[in-house]
Amino acid sequence: MSKWLNISSSSNKRASNLHTKAAYTIIEQLCADVDETLKRIESHKGVIGTILVNGDGIPVRTTLDNSTTSQYARLLRSFTALASSAVRDVDPQNDLTFVRIRSKKHEIMVAPENNNLLIVIQNPCE
Amino acid sequence: MEKEMTPTLLSNSFTGTTNSSGSGEFKVSRRSNQKIKFAASLNHNNNSDKSSNSVPHKKAIKVLDAQRRDVTPLALGPTHLEDPQSKKKPLSLDDLFFNTGANIFKSSSVADVASSRLFCSSFSSMSTMESGLLSRSCKTEDSFPLQDVTPPPPVHSAVPLERKGLPEENPDQGFDVTLTETDTFSLLDISPTIISEDAEGAEAVKQRNIHYAEFCKSRMANDNYSERSTQAFVGEPKTKHVQTNKNSSVNKSTTATSWDMYDSLCKPVDAGETQEADQEDYFVSTKKEKDKAEGSLSGDTGSTLTFVVEMETCVDSLTAESDQDKIVLSESFQNSLLVMERVVVLNIFQPMLAAFRGLPVLKDPYSTEKKPVAMEQSTEDKDWFLTPTLERLWAFACPLSIGRNITSMTWNKRNPDILAVGYGDWSSGSPKPGLVCCWSLKNLMWSERIFPCHSSVTCLDFSANNPGQLAVGMYDGSVAIYNIQAKNQVACIANSRDTSKRHQQPVWQVIWTKQQLQLSGEERDEVLVSVSGDGRITKWLMLSDGFNCIDLMVVKRIQDRKEKPKGNQEKIENVLLPVTPVLCVDFHPTDAGIYVIGTWDARMHKCSFSNSAHFLDTYNKHFSPVTQVEWSRFYPDVFLSCSADWTIQLWQLDTMTPKMSFTSVQSPVDSIKWSPNCSMVFAAVYRQRMEVWDLSSSILLPTAVHHAEPGVTLGSVLLAKGSDCVLVGDSGGRVTVYKLKNFRAGKQKQVNNLDDIMQAVPGSLND
């Protein structure tokens, strides 16, 4: 018998509360979303570290130590450049979207966009 | 007394002898009479002849002219102290330049004017100044241009002076000297003659000339003549230090790749902008200027590897933050984040997803963990005699959804990887706000779309024509359409909350159905139909004035003729009684005008889309509310129904009694779903268990049973197309995916036709 109940007034109140929930500005929301996503990625199983490198090759955000970070950033930058050049040489309208390097111990994933790099190192078999 | 002054040549007085002797003598150059008074000077021994080397006395001689002005000729150098009468020589340029205190005369051989004076360090000796004489000479001669130097008045005596001794008794008295100029003595006068070579006597003249030349040559040896070389004055070079900025050199090289050329063609002409925006180069450098400069080269590839520079690891915090914000807000970064997350998750779940898709699960050769695979592998070889089992693969769960009761699930019609799950809970009396999550198989750990709803979600359905549209039915009777391609508030396209004719009771099912409208020719338009607890079956349309609905039918409670009326109610056919809630609906797969509904009254009605007044048929079998009706996609006119009376019935369209009936436990059946892959398999969910029935193997018992964990009740079930997996949603907010293992072990055997099965059942299960 509980399957249908008359609509109570409380549900109406709840509706209005939900509307006031979106009090963020758009940018704040965006930043929060992105932050959240990054944190989620970092907390996935087997993820060793994430590095965000800006256009100058300087690591902007990282979860690894400094020396490892700079090493990864430097090496992967040139590697990604090489890969992108290879892709675009064949067809200039094409472009590189993702690079995955699977090695014995772990996998390095690089997402290049707009000269920035998002690097994630994961060991999926932990 | 007159001083004896003999004109003597002074040409040698500068020839290096420090003791310049003799009296100075000037060539007679002009006539002037001047009286010069000489102050007394005692010793004139040195005046007598030029060859005597006598030590001069130290007494000075002063010369005064008629007006008693002191016209004592100034000595040019210290050597001339001894000889006041040694007048100035025809001044050479050297004297002028170097008499500024330079001790030239003293330091070097006076004779060699050119070389010695030039190359002695005249400046070094500048410091040593002789006494007043030199300084006086400095004063007066500094300002003298050469031509202004007036030669001192010629010392010339009208009368050859006798060399007498000076009166010594009063040296200071002075005596007058009168100088006059004589007439010009002509010493030699030869008038030149020129004759032509052809004239007579020319030979003689030539001979004479030759003689004369030889004579001159022979006279060259004469001591009176000496050859002297001179040198033009050359300014002394001066060292000057200059400093300039070093021209820095930068190595530049480029490789013209084909994409480089393409980019140059396509990029805007403004070079300044391209340097900023064209970040084609991936050159690692520490300076932004360098980056920009190389950006104009638009990237070098081969050379970058050789020029990789060590990067600074210290991060300027301010720039890093602003960089981070810029990066973070860019859309492509969010895209990359999305892809990255998916990739990471896929890496983790790769074996499970491979199993889901029916791919062989490969073991990672480098993985360090040991899997107990050996056992399973051996058992899998024997395929025939194994019991079908369910293997748990993973669960869709995220922190937002955990704890919420799942009420409905549906796959997307276009993209079979997208799953929409509706959450809602009304069991506690007051309904809570619901949630719709769209999960993707590519990201099993976080739902990519989350839409909060103001009321508990009871049912979902994806549209087939517009695959991005998801219809949501809610507990408070509203129907909403969400566009899942959008991310946030703009996703809700339509909401019936404000519509006047909306449902007042919970919407129990929404379904998109393709109807052939008159207006459209071949294209079948889709119509959203909802059934709700207020007995109405309504069709929803997006009209110009909003989201509105039209009632297809209102299901009223009817009393069966055969039923005995209770109480005082009369037996009246089709008595209009209060409406009965409609709990489920499903449209015929091929003939869209026919649909079947299940009601609270335990009845099922076959209705027509166009007929809103009457039912076409009524199926009576159940005793309790019919909770789900579903047509089979493989067999026409066959549908399955389940109800709270613990049974599942298999019906055929025109048969008023069910063909088959399935019962297993004494628990209400909440939902059933046909398998989209196999015509004989369906899944049913009870409160505490989920069953998968494979009719080809058994019609009496479910083939696989899954029990819920204690504390959770299972709410919804779904089977995946193209894969042998079943999804179960429970009240804990998890959608668990199970793989059906060892199912349809009789694949090799002939697959029984459902019709055969139905016919094989003895009789019909009539009551």
Side-chain angles (χ1 to χ4, degrees):
Chain A
M1 282 298 171
S2 68
K3 277 216 174 167
W4 63 95
L5 290 173
N6 286 328
I7 300 166
S8 60
S9 58
S10 59
S11 68
N12 281 337
K13 278 187 205 156
R14 240 175 245 113
S16 57
N17 282 342
L18 279 173
H19 281 295
T20 58
K21 177 182 146 187
Y24 287 109
T25 63
I26 294 178
I27 292 183
E28 280 173 11
Q29 180 89 41
L30 210 56
C31 280
D33 283 344
V34 165
D35 240 354
E36 205 183 300
T37 313
L38 266 174
K39 286 204 176 67
R40 258 203 332 269
I41 292 182
E42 285 159 15
S43 64
H44 276 318
K45 182 180 107 160
V47 171
I48 297 172
T50 58
I51 305 168
L52 180 59
V53 183
N54 73 349
D56 295 333
I58 300 175
V60 166
R61 183 190 164 127
T62 173
T63 58
L64 301 166
D65 57 284
N66 249 359
S67 59
T68 318
T69 302
S70 62
Q71 205 171 17
Y72 268 116
R74 177 173 46 93
L75 296 168
L76 287 171
R77 214 173 130 88
S78 49
F79 182 84
T80 314
L82 198 59
S84 168
S85 168
V87 166
R88 294 200 71 207
D89 241 351
V90 173
D91 177 9
Q93 294 178 329
N94 204 354
D95 203 359
L96 186 70
T97 51
F98 207 84
V99 174
R100 284 168 93 154
I101 306 171
R102 183 74 175 92
S103 72
K104 265 200 223 171
K105 296 194 181 164
H106 44 245
E107 177 162 359
I108 304 169
M109 292 162 280
V110 182
E113 95 289 320
N114 227 8
N115 221 23
N116 307 316
L117 291 180
L118 172 64
I119 303 169
V120 172
I121 302 132
Q122 183 192 20
N123 181 4
C125 310
E126 264 180 7
Chain B
M1 290 163 229
E2 281 201 348
K3 186 176 149 200
E4 183 184 59
M5 297 187 64
T6 47
T8 53
L9 281 174
L10 292 172
S11 60
N12 285 342
S13 63
F14 281 85
T15 54
T17 56
T18 51
N19 34 357
S20 63
S21 57
S23 55
E25 185 190 81
F26 273 97
K27 286 204 171 100
V28 177
S29 59
R30 61 191 160 122
R31 301 168 180 268
S32 65
N33 287 343
Q34 287 205 0
K35 288 202 174 162
I36 298 170
K37 189 165 186 155
F38 275 83
S41 152
L42 286 179
N43 185 17
H44 291 283
N45 290 341
N46 50 354
N47 286 341
S48 49
D49 56 282
K50 52 189 179 211
S51 58
S52 65
N53 298 332
S54 52
V55 179
H57 283 268
K58 297 289 189 247
K59 287 218 177 152
I61 296 183
K62 279 173 60 176
V63 179
L64 305 169
D65 68 356
Q67 285 83 23
R68 321 293 289 180
R69 279 179 300 188
D70 187 0
V71 292
T72 313
L74 301 167
L76 291 174
T79 53
H80 297 285
L81 271 176
E82 297 95 34
D83 188 4
Q85 283 181 336
S86 65
K87 298 294 198 255
K88 287 184 274 211
K89 295 295 141 193
L91 278 178
S92 65
L93 287 172
D94 303 304
D95 292 347
L96 275 184
F97 282 94
F98 290 104
N99 58 9
T100 55
N103 219 350
I104 319 160
F105 310 114
K106 183 170 146 189
S107 62
S108 64
S109 58
V110 185
D112 201 354
V113 173
S115 47
S116 63
R117 291 236 184 102
L118 280 176
F119 297 112
C120 75
S121 58
S122 54
F123 292 102
S124 58
S125 52
M126 231 161 121
S127 53
T128 63
M129 295 258 291
E130 287 297 359
S131 62
L133 248 147
L134 266 182
S135 59
R136 207 162 27 154
S137 68
C138 291
K139 267 187 291 180
T140 52
E141 282 164 348
D142 265 348
S143 50
F144 280 179
L146 185 55
Q147 54 269 29
D148 287 343
V149 171
T150 56
V155 176
H156 175 70
S157 57
V159 177
L161 296 172
E162 290 171 47
R163 290 181 186 264
K164 293 181 198 165
L166 282 173
E168 288 164 12
E169 47 274 22
N170 35 356
D172 292 321
Q173 199 178 11
F175 50 91
D176 288 347
V177 172
T178 307
L179 303 171
T180 52
E181 211 174 292
T182 61
D183 294 331
T184 306
F185 294 139
S186 175
L187 299 173
L188 185 64
D189 187 14
I190 302 177
S191 53
T193 55
I194 301 172
I195 55 170
S196 138
E197 278 198 17
D198 304 324
E200 55 270 8
E203 257 321 302
V205 173
K206 274 190 198 167
Q207 286 300 320
R208 274 218 317 269
N209 284 350
I210 292 168
H211 274 300
Y212 184 72
E214 280 174 359
F215 177 72
C216 282
K217 277 189 205 158
S218 68
R219 286 194 52 104
M220 286 300 285
N222 194 325
D223 288 335
N224 282 343
Y225 304 94
S226 67
E227 267 204 2
R228 185 169 26 156
S229 63
T230 59
Q231 189 172 355
F233 181 74
V234 174
E236 184 165 313
K238 187 166 123 173
T239 316
K240 190 165 178 184
H241 292 282
V242 167
Q243 222 173 5
T244 61
N245 286 333
K246 184 181 172 202
N247 284 334
S248 57
S249 70
V250 174
N251 273 331
K252 291 200 174 195
S253 71
T254 183
T255 310
T257 55
S258 44
W259 55 266
D260 189 1
M261 295 189 274
Y262 175 84
D263 280 345
S264 319
L265 267 179
C266 296
K267 289 283 179 180
V269 183
D270 190 346
E273 278 176 24
T274 54
Q275 281 195 6
E276 196 60 46
D278 179 9
Q279 297 281 340
E280 287 295 334
D281 61 312
Y282 299 94
F283 203 98
V284 175
S285 80
T286 55
K287 293 204 169 62
K288 261 193 181 154
E289 297 81 44
K290 257 195 208 169
D291 232 13
K292 280 187 197 164
E294 276 133 23
S296 64
L297 301 176
S298 53
D300 6 9
T301 54
S303 48
T304 51
L305 297 176
T306 60
F307 291 145
V308 166
V309 177
E310 277 297 325
M311 216 170 36
E312 302 176 65
T313 54
C314 60
V315 177
D316 185 1
S317 62
L318 287 175
T319 56
E321 274 173 20
S322 64
D323 268 345
Q324 194 172 359
D325 284 340
K326 249 190 301 179
I327 297 174
V328 153
L329 292 176
S330 76
E331 199 186 307
S332 64
F333 176 73
Q334 286 149 32
N335 217 17
S336 303
L337 255 187
L338 180 78
V339 172
M340 181 67 80
E341 192 182 0
R342 285 182 177 181
V343 167
V344 166
V345 171
L346 286 179
N347 263 345
I348 300 172
F349 287 101
Q350 197 271 337
M352 287 76 126
L353 280 169
F356 180 86
R357 306 252 187 221
L359 299 168
V361 178
L362 300 170
K363 193 166 101 71
D364 191 350
Y366 298 108
S367 84
T368 48
E369 63 175 22
K370 33 179 193 161
K371 281 184 181 174
V373 192
M375 257 183 2
E376 292 184 21
Q377 292 225 334
S378 60
T379 52
E380 273 180 26
D381 293 336
K382 319 168 205 165
D383 48 358
W384 300 86
F385 307 111
L386 294 175
T387 55
T389 51
L390 295 174
E391 180 193 348
R392 183 186 186 278
L393 292 180
W394 74 84
F396 286 107
C398 73
L400 249 102
S401 70
I402 286 191
R404 291 176 178 261
N405 178 39
I406 295 180
T407 54
S408 52
M409 298 188 291
T410 180
W411 289 108
N412 189 303
K413 302 269 180 5
R414 169 83 63 84
N415 183 351
D417 285 345
I418 296 180
L419 174 74
V421 180
Y423 302 83
D425 192 6
W426 54 84
S427 55
S428 53
S430 59
K432 298 184 204 153
L435 191 69
V436 173
C437 283
C438 286
W439 294 84
S440 165
L441 272 182
K442 296 179 184 170
N443 189 346
L444 308 181
M445 300 192 68
W446 181 260
S447 152
E448 303 208 340
R449 295 285 189 271
I450 299 171
F451 304 118
C453 299
H454 59 273
S455 172
S456 294
V457 173
T458 53
C459 50
L460 300 168
D461 197 26
F462 268 109
S463 159
N465 274 1
N466 309 313
Q469 289 186 0
L470 174 69
V472 178
M474 290 183 240
Y475 191 76
D476 68 347
S478 31
V479 171
I481 300 182
Y482 283 85
N483 177 18
I484 63 165
Q485 286 167 337
K487 282 219 174 199
N488 41 21
Q489 318 298 75
V490 298
C492 184
I493 304 177
N495 199 322
S496 76
R497 255 183 314 153
D498 306 322
T499 317
S500 53
K501 290 196 282 180
R502 60 192 176 99
H503 293 292
Q504 309 298 329
Q505 297 290 327
V507 176
W508 294 116
Q509 187 149 4
V510 286
I511 189 165
W512 290 91
T513 175
K514 289 197 174 180
Q515 299 295 321
Q516 187 146 33
L517 298 180
Q518 258 71 356
L519 300 171
S520 61
E522 306 148 0
E523 178 76 24
R524 283 182 153 222
D525 280 344
E526 243 188 351
V527 171
L528 175 65
V529 173
S530 70
V531 293
S532 98
D534 57 3
R536 284 160 55 202
I537 305 166
T538 52
K539 160 174 94 169
W540 291 85
L541 303 161
M542 278 299 280
L543 300 172
S544 55
D545 53 349
F547 196 42
N548 219 328
C549 62
I550 298 172
D551 272 352
L552 286 177
M553 179 170 293
V554 179
V555 178
K556 303 170 189 62
R557 187 172 291 176
I558 57 170
Q559 270 200 327
D560 200 3
R561 225 184 282 186
K562 293 182 184 172
E563 274 186 13
K564 291 234 166 120
K566 295 174 184 153
N568 295 329
Q569 286 171 346
E570 301 178 39
K571 283 193 291 185
I572 301 172
E573 229 179 74
N574 289 345
V575 167
L576 289 174
L577 288 175
V579 296
T580 168
V582 181
L583 296 180
C584 52
V585 67
D586 198 11
F587 281 77
H588 196 280
T590 47
D591 179 9
I594 307 290
Y595 59 93
V596 171
I597 57 170
T599 64
W600 178 261
D601 278 348
R603 282 175 229 269
M604 289 187 298
H605 301 284
K606 171 176 137 188
C607 317
S608 161
F609 198 78
S610 43
N611 186 347
S612 62
H614 306 283
F615 306 126
L616 299 180
D617 261 329
T618 306
Y619 305 93
N620 289 314
K621 182 67 174 104
H622 289 289
F623 308 111
S624 303
V626 179
T627 48
Q628 186 98 32
V629 170
E630 193 172 358
W631 292 89
S632 165
R633 296 287 181 261
F634 295 93
Y635 288 99
D637 303 339
V638 169
F639 63 92
L640 207 60
S641 74
C642 69
S643 96
D645 65 355
W646 315 335
T647 60
I648 304 168
Q649 313 281 348
L650 182 75
W651 303 79
Q652 202 164 19
L653 186 59
D654 298 319
T655 315
M656 290 303 116
T657 54
K659 290 281 180 180
M660 289 169 81
S661 167
F662 312 101
T663 315
S664 64
V665 282
Q666 297 170 351
S667 168
V669 189
D670 278 332
S671 174
I672 48 160
K673 282 273 163 47
W674 281 108
S675 160
N677 308 317
C678 177
S679 61
M680 318 273 264
V681 177
F682 66 89
V685 65
Y686 303 73
R687 292 284 155 80
Q688 301 298 327
R689 51 196 264 155
M690 187 269 299
E691 295 175 350
V692 179
W693 291 74
D694 184 2
L695 296 179
S696 61
S697 59
S698 162
I699 62 171
L700 295 175
L701 289 175
T703 318
V705 174
H706 165 73
H707 295 270
E709 288 119 37
V712 289
T713 60
L714 305 178
S716 178
V717 73
L718 196 62
L719 282 133
K721 189 175 177 106
S723 119
D724 313 339
C725 289
V726 61
L727 286 78
V728 180
D730 60 19
S731 63
R734 269 175 255 269
V735 178
T736 322
V737 179
Y738 297 92
K739 186 169 167 68
L740 307 170
K741 291 190 75 158
N742 308 319
F743 252 67
R744 299 194 287 123
K747 261 186 234 175
Q748 318 299 330
K749 293 194 288 189
Q750 182 189 6
V751 176
N752 292 336
N753 203 337
L754 197 60
D755 288 333
D756 300 335
I757 295 178
M758 285 196 287
Q759 264 124 45
V761 171
S764 60
L765 306 168
N766 278 339
D767 44 328

